[in-house]
Amino acid sequence: MFEISNLIGNTSYYTAYTNVGIVRTGDGVVLVDACDHIRMAKGLSRQLEEMGLPVKTVIDTHCHVDHICGNRFFREKYGCRLLCTAGEQMFIAEPDLEPKFYYSGIDTDKSKNPFFMVEPSQAEVITPENTPEGFEIIPLPGHSFDMVGVRTPDNVVCLADAVLSRRTWDEYKLPFYHNINASLKTFDAVSAMQAEWFLPSHDKPVREIAELAQYNKKCMLERKELIFSLCPERSFEEIFIHLMEKLELEIRNEKYPMYAIMLRNFLQSLVEDDVIFGRLENNRFVYHVK
C-alpha cells in the first residue's frame, strides 16, 4: 500500500485509496489523477524524487476530490501542466462547488468535512494538441459530468471511476453516479475494450475488465428495477423510505443528501426511458408507471 508498482513498460501506478497512473516519459512522468489526499501526494512525490522523476503533466480524469487533491501541490512543486476536460474544469477551479452540488444546498456536517476542502487549481482543457504524445483520452460518461479514461503508450487503460469494485457495490449499495443511463452504456463500452492492463481507480489492476464491468451493470440495473417497482402512485419521500428499507441502508443526517440525489438520478433515468412520469397531486409530486 502507498507504493509505486510497475505494470508494463513505462507504466506504473501508485497504490493508494485512489490509484494514480504513472507513465515515464523522456524527461519525467505523466500522472493520471493526483491522489485522494495531500499526504498521499507528498508520499508519491518522495518516491518519484528517489527515482529522479519530476512530474511534468497531471491528467485529471474528473473533478471528484479523491482524484484532484494533489493538483495544487504538484503544480507548485514541479510547475507541471494540469489537464482536464471542459466539463470538469470549473469544478476543479472551484472545488467547493462539488459538495454544494452533491448536497443540493442542504447544510450537513458532511458538506463541511475537510475531505471536501481541497485547494483550487487551474487546469487547462485537454485537446488533441496538448495531449501528451502516445496517450489516448477516452470519454467515460456517467459517473461525473465529463469524465475520461486514459490509455497510456503501453496500452494500459486508466479507467477512473467508470467501474467500481464489487466491494463498493456490495457495501455502499448506492454509489454515486451522475447519469445512470450514460453509465450503463459506459459499462458496455468498457466491457468491449482491449488492453494489456486495466487500472480502475478503486480496485486492483486486471488484465480482463469485462466481468467487473458487467457486474457493475448488473448492480445498476438491479437498483433501477427496484426503484421502478417502488414508483407507482408514490411521492419521492415515500419511494425514498421504501428504498432505504429494501437496501437495508441506515438514514443518517450526513448520508441523506447523497442517497436522495442518487434516487433522483435513478428516477430521471426512468423518465428518460419513458416508463414513468410524475405530476403534482394535492401538493404532492407523485410518480406513476406508464
Side-chain angles (χ1 to χ4, degrees):
M1 196 66 168
F2 313 145
E3 62 183 12
I4 296 174
S5 302
N6 184 252
L7 280 174
I8 184 173
N10 291 316
T11 302
S12 303
Y13 73 105
Y14 184 49
T15 314
Y17 299 117
T18 299
N19 295 325
V20 176
I22 305 168
V23 184
R24 296 187 190 215
T25 61
D27 57 352
V29 297
V30 173
L31 301 183
V32 181
D33 288 329
C35 299
D36 60 351
H37 195 284
I38 189 63
R39 183 177 73 254
M40 300 299 174
K42 290 180 178 179
L44 172 56
S45 177
R46 283 193 295 272
Q47 293 186 46
L48 291 172
E49 285 179 344
E50 290 171 2
M51 301 164 71
L53 296 172
V55 177
K56 294 296 183 179
T57 304
V58 175
I59 301 174
D60 292 325
T61 60
H62 61 300
C63 68
H64 293 172
V65 294
D66 57 327
H67 294 255
I68 65 169
C69 274
N71 268 7
R72 189 158 176 174
F73 169 77
F74 289 124
R75 173 72 175 171
E76 292 179 350
K77 184 175 180 65
Y78 297 102
C80 61
R81 168 174 271 181
L82 305 178
L83 300 175
C84 71
T85 58
E88 306 286 329
Q89 186 184 40
M90 178 176 63
F91 287 85
I92 292 171
E94 302 290 344
D96 63 323
L97 292 175
E98 186 183 355
K100 287 182 173 65
F101 170 79
Y102 283 159
Y103 296 106
S104 305
I106 300 172
D107 189 14
T108 70
D109 291 339
K110 183 77 178 266
S111 69
K112 299 174 183 175
N113 191 312
F115 175 79
F116 286 106
M117 299 300 108
V118 60
E119 294 284 348
S121 53
Q122 301 295 326
E124 303 172 48
V125 173
I126 196 163
T127 66
E129 290 71 33
N130 64 20
T131 299
E133 185 177 357
F135 288 73
E136 178 190 357
I137 305 303
I138 306 170
L140 296 172
H143 176 69
S144 188
F145 308 100
D146 195 14
M147 188 176 74
V148 294
V150 178
R151 189 184 297 271
T152 79
D154 294 307
N155 198 21
V156 174
V157 176
C158 302
L159 284 169
D161 291 348
V163 296
L164 301 178
S165 68
R166 288 173 174 264
R167 178 178 175 272
T168 299
W169 277 103
D170 296 346
E171 182 176 340
Y172 293 98
K173 309 290 182 66
L174 281 176
F176 181 79
Y177 281 90
H178 171 60
N179 186 314
I180 304 303
N181 287 343
S183 295
L184 289 168
K185 292 178 181 178
T186 291
F187 297 148
D188 285 335
V190 170
S191 294
M193 288 181 185
Q194 299 294 318
E196 292 292 334
W197 283 95
F198 295 94
L199 179 65
S201 288
H202 302 291
D203 206 354
K204 64 183 184 299
V206 292
R207 291 277 194 173
E208 302 291 338
I209 198 63
E211 182 179 353
L212 180 58
Q214 288 303 304
Y215 185 78
N216 276 252
K217 182 179 180 180
K218 169 180 171 290
C219 291
M220 184 78 84
L221 287 174
E222 286 174 352
R223 307 305 188 269
K224 188 170 178 177
E225 290 166 6
L226 171 59
I227 291 166
F228 175 73
S229 74
L230 298 174
C231 283
E233 300 183 19
R234 286 188 173 129
S235 68
F236 175 87
E237 290 75 16
E238 290 167 333
I239 297 170
F240 183 87
I241 291 169
H242 284 283
L243 180 62
M244 295 300 102
E245 291 173 350
K246 292 286 187 181
L247 294 178
E248 299 181 342
L249 289 169
E250 181 185 358
I251 306 175
R252 300 198 303 271
N253 228 33
E254 69 274 14
K255 291 285 188 181
Y256 172 80
M258 186 66 81
Y259 291 150
I261 198 171
M262 279 307 302
L263 175 54
R264 294 189 190 283
N265 290 346
F266 273 104
L267 290 169
Q268 176 60 32
S269 74
L270 292 166
V271 170
E272 292 170 2
D273 293 345
D274 199 29
V275 295
I276 67 168
F277 67 97
R279 67 185 177 203
L280 197 62
E281 300 176 2
N282 298 320
N283 294 323
R284 293 168 65 244
F285 194 78
V286 179
Y287 288 91
H288 297 269
V289 172
K290 289 192 174 183

